[in-house]
Amino acid sequence: MNKTKTVALLGNPNSGKSSLFNFLTGLHQDVSNFPGVTVDKKSAIIHLAETTLIRLIDFPGTYSFFPNSVEEKIVVDSLLQQNGPFRPDLVVYVVDVTQLERHLLLATQIRDLGIPMIFVLNMIDVAQNHDQKIDTGPLESYLKLPIVQTSVRQGVGLDTLRLAMFGALFNDQYFETPLYQLNELETKVASEVQEIFPESTKYQAKLIAHHHQWLPHLSEPERLAIKKIVEHNGFQDLRLQVQETMSRFESIVPVSKKVLTSRSPEMRSWTDRIDDVITHRFFGPMIFFGLMMIVFQAIYSLAAVPMDLIEAGFASTGQWMSSHLPTHWISSLLVNGLWAGLGGVLVFVPQIAILFLMISFLEESGYMSRAVFMFDNIMRRFGMNGRSMVSLISSAACAIPAIMATRTISNQRERLITIMVSPLISCSARLPVYAILIGFVVPDIKVWGIFNSQGLAFMGLYLLGIVGALVSALVLKPFIKETQGSFLMMELPNYKSPMWTNVLLTVKMKVMSFVIGAGKIILLISIVLWFMASYGPTKAMQNAEIKTSDYMSTHPQENQDAVEGGYKLEASYIGHVGRFIEPAIKPLGFDWKIGIALITSFAAREVFVGTMATIYSVGDINDDSTLRQKMASAVKPDTGEKVYTPATALSLLVFYVFAMQCMSTLAVTKRETNSWRWPIIQFVFMSLMAYVGSFIVYQSFA
């Protein structure tokens, strides 16, 4: 049986490359990461003919072989490895025919590598709608490649493309002359590099000379040898890159003008007219925030029902398992550890799905590129870029999908800063905490006869989180090393109706990435938390049972399980940790019970309320008082003072605005940075912010 051939889909961003991949592969996709980085690698094994299997790889969108992002470097490194795992047998190069001039740069570079290639003119329907005529003759004469016209959206030309792929894989494609002629210096350097890599072409050797400092597949001796060649010959990297680019465009521009011509007098396109409003200096940001409010509201309103159903489903199923499984530590681990942990993973799926559904819709339509463009200059002042804006706003629903959305940020420093500060934006999980504590600080009255004072307090907490995120970004900016130049290079695509197949596949991949990737870590931490909350020193747990028995003898009407649960929680390892940290949190106005809630709510911020409900469960079984009323009546046993004074409640609110009280977010940060270093730093600096902020507030108002 013949070896499975590798076919690479390559092209500029917004060329329709991924849409073609989705059409050819359907749901049979494998999404993983390139080795050593968190950049997605989409691939699939498909039948090209009855007896021919190919591995189709959708590479990240790339502008040229002189890369400016991690994604582009991956493409360059993969193609420069003569026998590398991702070196393709065939390149299917996809271009947006309406943007042909820009897309030809990378195409000519790939051709000069000597890799067999098919040139796909995509979006011919868009050109026809703009009354433009396509003549492939000049392009065929220039590239000397098979050219296929397609419209993935309408399913045009795809059978022709399959036949062309089959023919190109089994017919040797030979390029007599390269499109770019190396000058004397480039030829000399390339020849010397070829002595190290005999199988490489002249142009491939030249690119290795350009990029030897960062190419991952080079060994250190090879890197040093090439460095010596470059320095000895005075190979000026940047100047020669510019020279090659300008030389290629000198031949590209005349050809592209012959390929695509207008049949009618030039008129401003609908895209240009819409952009006059969408990217307007004043109206543009207003429209953006209006759309983001719709997205934000949709995440709250549409996700509420499925999230409640998931939580209710896991709760009722967990209760059923508790009542039917034998009393054993394995049952407890299954119900309170694994099952509860799985619920903690899946409960976020509706928010993630809705967020990426709406963002994918905006991206497919061409709008998100405009938003990135509008806010780029502002966000750069804080060490981020325009793409960071989407993640920060998404964090108001949940930091988990927001951090996942930073994959669109190519600059490593800007992406890291965005990941680090996104959790400071108040998310929906903080709402139960805010709701139960604001009443201790702000009375429920009307302001100016219109606004609810507690509603304004909610807004104030959100604004505090935003300010904290921006200030943190400024502080982090000097400490995160800049490894590459920072500038925004992107194409503003034509507005078009979204392809729902692409949108739904994107949602599916993002959801599965979270469930499988972050879920493993979350389940592990859930088991650890279960163990710490379920067990404690033997003597302490025995004393908890004695205390329960003594209490029940004088309060027989009480719920024994609730009473015993409260005592055992205090006696557990988590309870001991709460007592241990009490001296540290006492200056913030917190007691050991709040300390336990701080620890348990690390599983998820909203667990704070559930922990408080357990701790304050001791009371009259016929008492209809709410948890807030029970907390309001709680007093310190040594002084008789109220536990939840306005100062304590305000201190606790500030703590939850800044603190990293979410293991799911840390798990996703670890996955997206591929290191424990950044989630640890994130946890430490946010905890310090929370502690210092709470300390200042409590000491000022106590």
Side-chain angles (χ1 to χ4, degrees), residues 14-16 19 95-100 121-134 149-156 260-264 269-272 364-365 370 491-499:
N14 301 310
S15 63
S19 298
V95 307
D96 176 356
V97 67
T98 65
Q99 307 290 339
L100 180 60
L121 283 175
N122 192 31
M123 303 188 191
I124 58 172
D125 57 317
V126 177
Q128 292 167 354
N129 291 338
H130 291 168
D131 202 22
Q132 292 175 308
K133 180 183 177 182
I134 302 171
Q149 297 185 49
T150 66
S151 170
V152 178
R153 184 182 304 277
Q154 297 182 346
V156 174
L260 197 66
T261 55
S262 179
R263 302 185 191 190
S264 57
S269 67
W270 277 107
T271 292
D272 292 334
E364 280 277 316
S365 67
R370 273 77 182 176
E491 181 181 311
L492 297 183
N494 293 320
Y495 290 105
K496 54 186 181 293
S497 59
M499 287 187 64

Side-chain angles (χ1 to χ4, degrees), residues 99-257:
Q99 307 290 339
L100 180 60
E101 184 178 304
R102 286 198 295 272
H103 291 222
L104 273 172
L105 174 60
L106 179 61
T108 60
Q109 291 175 321
I110 296 173
R111 180 196 180 281
D112 285 352
L113 280 183
I115 302 175
M117 182 162 69
I118 295 173
F119 195 85
V120 178
L121 283 175
N122 192 31
M123 303 188 191
I124 58 172
D125 57 317
V126 177
Q128 292 167 354
N129 291 338
H130 291 168
D131 202 22
Q132 292 175 308
K133 180 183 177 182
I134 302 171
D135 180 6
T136 60
L139 195 58
E140 289 175 342
S141 299
Y142 175 63
L143 293 175
K144 295 181 174 58
L145 292 172
I147 296 179
V148 179
Q149 297 185 49
T150 66
S151 170
V152 178
R153 184 182 304 277
Q154 297 182 346
V156 174
L158 300 177
D159 289 336
T160 304
L161 174 59
R162 288 191 180 95
L163 290 173
M165 290 167 62
F166 183 83
L169 281 170
F170 298 100
N171 292 293
D172 291 335
Q173 194 177 69
Y174 176 72
F175 303 112
E176 186 175 344
T177 57
L179 295 173
Y180 173 70
Q181 301 297 322
L182 276 61
N183 63 29
E184 184 179 345
L185 173 60
E186 291 172 322
T187 302
K188 185 174 186 300
V189 169
S191 298
E192 293 182 20
V193 172
Q194 280 183 308
E195 294 178 8
I196 304 173
F197 301 101
E199 296 181 353
S200 64
T201 63
K202 277 282 194 297
Y203 184 62
Q204 184 178 353
K206 172 186 178 288
L207 288 174
I208 292 173
H210 276 295
H211 306 315
H212 69 278
Q213 292 181 332
W214 58 262
L215 284 172
H217 74 271
L218 296 182
S219 66
E220 197 58 30
E222 290 170 341
R223 204 182 309 277
L224 292 174
I226 298 170
K227 181 181 179 182
K228 186 176 180 180
I229 293 171
V230 166
E231 291 177 348
H232 176 74
N233 288 284
F235 188 83
Q236 297 178 350
D237 177 58
L238 183 59
R239 183 178 66 81
L240 292 171
Q241 286 187 30
V242 173
Q243 176 182 301
E244 178 189 327
T245 303
M246 296 303 294
S247 174
R248 288 185 184 277
F249 271 113
E250 284 179 5
S251 59
I252 286 171
V253 172
V255 173
S256 62
K257 288 182 177 179

Side-chain angles (χ1 to χ4, degrees), residues 168-417:
L169 281 170
F170 298 100
N171 292 293
D172 291 335
Q173 194 177 69
Y174 176 72
F175 303 112
E176 186 175 344
T177 57
L179 295 173
Y180 173 70
Q181 301 297 322
L182 276 61
N183 63 29
E184 184 179 345
L185 173 60
E186 291 172 322
T187 302
K188 185 174 186 300
V189 169
S191 298
E192 293 182 20
V193 172
Q194 280 183 308
E195 294 178 8
I196 304 173
F197 301 101
E199 296 181 353
S200 64
T201 63
K202 277 282 194 297
Y203 184 62
Q204 184 178 353
K206 172 186 178 288
L207 288 174
I208 292 173
H210 276 295
H211 306 315
H212 69 278
Q213 292 181 332
W214 58 262
L215 284 172
H217 74 271
L218 296 182
S219 66
E220 197 58 30
E222 290 170 341
R223 204 182 309 277
L224 292 174
I226 298 170
K227 181 181 179 182
K228 186 176 180 180
I229 293 171
V230 166
E231 291 177 348
H232 176 74
N233 288 284
F235 188 83
Q236 297 178 350
D237 177 58
L238 183 59
R239 183 178 66 81
L240 292 171
Q241 286 187 30
V242 173
Q243 176 182 301
E244 178 189 327
T245 303
M246 296 303 294
S247 174
R248 288 185 184 277
F249 271 113
E250 284 179 5
S251 59
I252 286 171
V253 172
V255 173
S256 62
K257 288 182 177 179
K258 294 177 183 177
V259 174
L260 197 66
T261 55
S262 179
R263 302 185 191 190
S264 57
E266 280 196 32
M267 297 177 62
R268 295 192 73 216
S269 67
W270 277 107
T271 292
D272 292 334
R273 297 176 189 177
I274 295 172
D275 278 346
D276 288 343
V277 179
I278 294 294
T279 62
H280 190 274
R281 181 178 178 183
F282 298 108
F283 297 127
M286 293 173 62
I287 293 171
F288 173 79
F289 283 112
L291 288 172
M292 288 301 105
M293 283 299 295
I294 293 173
V295 172
F296 179 54
Q297 182 61 36
I299 291 170
Y300 268 106
S301 57
L302 299 181
V305 173
M307 288 180 75
D308 289 343
L309 289 175
I310 291 172
E311 286 184 315
F314 273 90
S316 59
T317 308
Q319 188 175 15
W320 183 88
M321 288 191 293
S322 296
S323 60
H324 286 76
L325 291 175
T327 303
H328 195 274
W329 70 266
I330 295 179
S331 302
S332 179
L333 171 61
L334 177 63
V335 175
N336 301 317
L338 292 173
W339 192 248
L342 183 61
V345 174
L346 297 183
V347 74
F348 290 109
V349 167
Q351 285 187 329
I352 293 172
I354 292 170
L355 175 66
F356 281 107
L357 176 68
M358 303 198 75
I359 288 182
S360 297
F361 175 86
L362 293 174
E363 286 179 343
E364 280 277 316
S365 67
Y367 176 76
M368 289 307 290
S369 299
R370 273 77 182 176
V372 169
F373 165 76
M374 280 190 295
F375 290 101
D376 185 61
N377 285 335
I378 296 173
M379 299 307 292
R380 284 186 186 282
R381 299 174 186 176
F382 298 95
M384 296 178 278
N385 71 25
R387 298 183 190 274
S388 305
M389 195 70 181
V390 178
S391 291
L392 294 181
I393 291 179
S394 302
S395 292
C398 180
I400 293 167
I403 289 174
M404 293 167 64
T406 62
R407 295 178 182 182
T408 61
I409 303 173
S410 59
N411 181 278
Q412 187 64 13
R413 181 174 76 164
E414 292 168 352
R415 183 181 183 223
L416 273 174
I417 291 176

Side-chain angles (χ1 to χ4, degrees), residues 396-523:
C398 180
I400 293 167
I403 289 174
M404 293 167 64
T406 62
R407 295 178 182 182
T408 61
I409 303 173
S410 59
N411 181 278
Q412 187 64 13
R413 181 174 76 164
E414 292 168 352
R415 183 181 183 223
L416 273 174
I417 291 176
T418 307
I419 288 174
M420 298 294 278
V421 304
S422 289
L424 285 165
I425 307 297
S426 288
C427 66
S428 58
R430 290 177 169 103
L431 292 181
V433 183
Y434 292 170
I436 202 167
L437 293 175
I438 281 178
F440 293 112
V441 181
V442 181
D444 187 8
I445 59 174
K446 292 289 185 181
V447 177
W448 299 325
I450 303 175
F451 302 105
N452 181 279
S453 59
Q454 294 183 346
L456 292 176
F458 266 105
M459 183 183 297
L461 293 171
Y462 274 95
L463 290 175
L464 181 61
I466 293 170
V467 172
L470 295 178
V471 172
S472 298
L474 281 176
V475 172
L476 289 169
K477 185 178 176 181
F479 293 100
I480 298 180
K481 185 179 178 182
E482 180 64 272
T483 57
Q484 62 195 67
S486 175
F487 57 89
L488 184 68
M489 182 175 70
M490 62 184 302
E491 181 181 311
L492 297 183
N494 293 320
Y495 290 105
K496 54 186 181 293
S497 59
M499 287 187 64
W500 287 106
T501 301
N502 285 351
V503 172
L504 296 177
L505 279 172
T506 298
V507 172
K508 174 217 169 195
M509 288 186 291
K510 298 297 184 183
V511 169
M512 294 307 297
S513 177
F514 166 71
V515 172
I516 296 173
K520 293 181 289 187
I521 301 173
I522 294 169
L523 283 176

